[in-house]
């Protein structure tokens, strides 16, 4: 039975954490592994220099737990205090149970609401917006929101147009009911007519894989639509919060491609000094990319309490969204 609390004025981020597996795998490392590419080819098109790849047996749940432990420590929150756990992932450990339930068991929590959100690279933004609404409705008080991915296991390592782009990792935040400004606005959207431009068009059926089990992408179509919808979502969020884009202290975008990040931030009128970019070192970690970048910028002191931060993501589905918060 869910306990109902008085509605909260805000849901506020109280802790952040991140985890990247193993040592960085550079573009030159990929060349040495036999991929027909080069550091120059990858970097000039994407801005990526390296990424991290999960070790055999290293799961999305395990990485989620390591990121979550950091976030809980920063928030001074015990896992047992959580009443909501949401994991954003497109690479769950199993078809079911959900990665959120597996994470709940790993952390030693019992009784909290736990479920996964699947919106690919927009997943963390979707999950954070959902948790915000649960808390502000009075249904929950303390939420753990995690983005965790092992994309390296759904890549065709012979397709240099896609395999060089992605990496593995996890990022997490603790979100708590608060009377002072926290999450101020969110905007979530999707267009299923664009499902084919970024997808894994296969499935398990009767114990065997049918269709194509690897990630496939139409790069130019993704780029064109991503820049447009990210700009629209940012302006929508700012308008809902009564702010202009120039009122933002920081933009923490999905880390897919430096060209998308630069083009969308220019359309918002934001200088590169206000943009958190980790794509050069992390690659595209899908639902993990936004919380990983947020955790890094909080950890090194760039993002500070009281600053206005816009988080945004775009991914397969076709999905996109943004969350504006006062940190």
């Amino acid at each position: 039975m869910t306990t109902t609390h008085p509605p909260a004025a805000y849901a506020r981020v109280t802790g952040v954490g991140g985890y990247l597996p193993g040592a960085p795998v550079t573009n030159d490392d990929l060349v040495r592994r036999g991929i027909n590419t080069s550091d120059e080819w990858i970097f000039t098109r994407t801005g990526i220099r390296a990424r991290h790849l999960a070790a055999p047996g290293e799961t999305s749940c395990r990485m989620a737990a390591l990121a979550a432990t950091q976030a809980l420590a920063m928030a001074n929150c015990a896992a047992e205090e959580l009443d909501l756990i949401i994991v954003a992932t497109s690479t769950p450990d199993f078809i079911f149970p959900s990665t959120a339930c597996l994470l709940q068991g790993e952390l030693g929590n019992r009784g909290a609401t736990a479920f996964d959100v699947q919106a690919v690279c927009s997943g963390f933004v979707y999950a954070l917006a959902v948790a915000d609404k649960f808390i502000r409705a009075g249904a929950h008080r303390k939420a753990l929101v995690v983005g965790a991915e092992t994309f390296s296991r759904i890549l065709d390592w012979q397709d240099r147009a896609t395999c060089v782009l992605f990496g593995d990792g996890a990022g997490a935040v603790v979100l708590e009911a608060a009377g002072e400004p926290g999450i101020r606005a969110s905007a979530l959207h999707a267009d299923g007519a664009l499902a084919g431009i970024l997808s894994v068009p296969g499935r398990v059926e009767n114990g065997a894989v049918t269709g194509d089990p690897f990630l496939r992408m139409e790069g130019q179509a993704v780029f064109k639509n991503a820049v447009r919808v990210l700009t629209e979502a940012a302006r929508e969020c700012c308008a809902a919060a009564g702010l202009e884009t120039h009122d933002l202290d920081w933009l923490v975008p999905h880390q897919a491609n430096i060209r998308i990040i630069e083009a969308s931030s220019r359309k918002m009128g934001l200088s590169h000094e206000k943009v958190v970019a980790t794509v050069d070192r992390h690659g595209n970690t899908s639902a993990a990319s936004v919380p990983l970048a947020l955790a890094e910028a909080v950890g090194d002191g760039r993002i500070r309490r009281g600053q206005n931060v816009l988080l945004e993501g775009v991914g397969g589905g076709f999905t996109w969204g943004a969350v504006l918060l006062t940190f």
Side-chain angles (χ1 to χ4, degrees), residues 41-42 45-46 48 120-121 151 154-156 159-167 194-202 212-226 254-258 260 279 283-286 314-318:
W41 191 94
I42 298 170
R45 288 162 176 78
T46 68
I48 298 170
V120 198
C121 303
F151 254 54
I154 58 170
L155 299 177
D156 178 354
D159 178 10
R160 74 168 186 170
T162 58
C163 72
V164 301
L165 304 178
F166 295 91
L194 297 174
I197 68 175
L198 179 57
S199 66
V200 178
D212 187 343
F214 296 120
L215 181 149
R216 301 302 178 191
M217 181 174 68
E218 297 177 22
Q220 288 301 314
V222 170
F223 180 91
K224 177 182 176 181
N225 285 284
H254 170 46
Q255 308 291 317
N257 184 309
I258 195 63
I260 294 175
V279 67
N284 182 347
T285 55
S286 189
V314 58
F318 195 68

Side-chain angles (χ1 to χ4, degrees), residues 184-186 234-248 308 324:
R184 301 175 64 172
S186 61
R235 290 174 176 159
E236 182 182 351
C237 259
C238 287
L243 299 175
E244 301 290 339
T245 54
H246 62 72
D247 295 317
L248 297 173
N308 293 321
L324 195 159

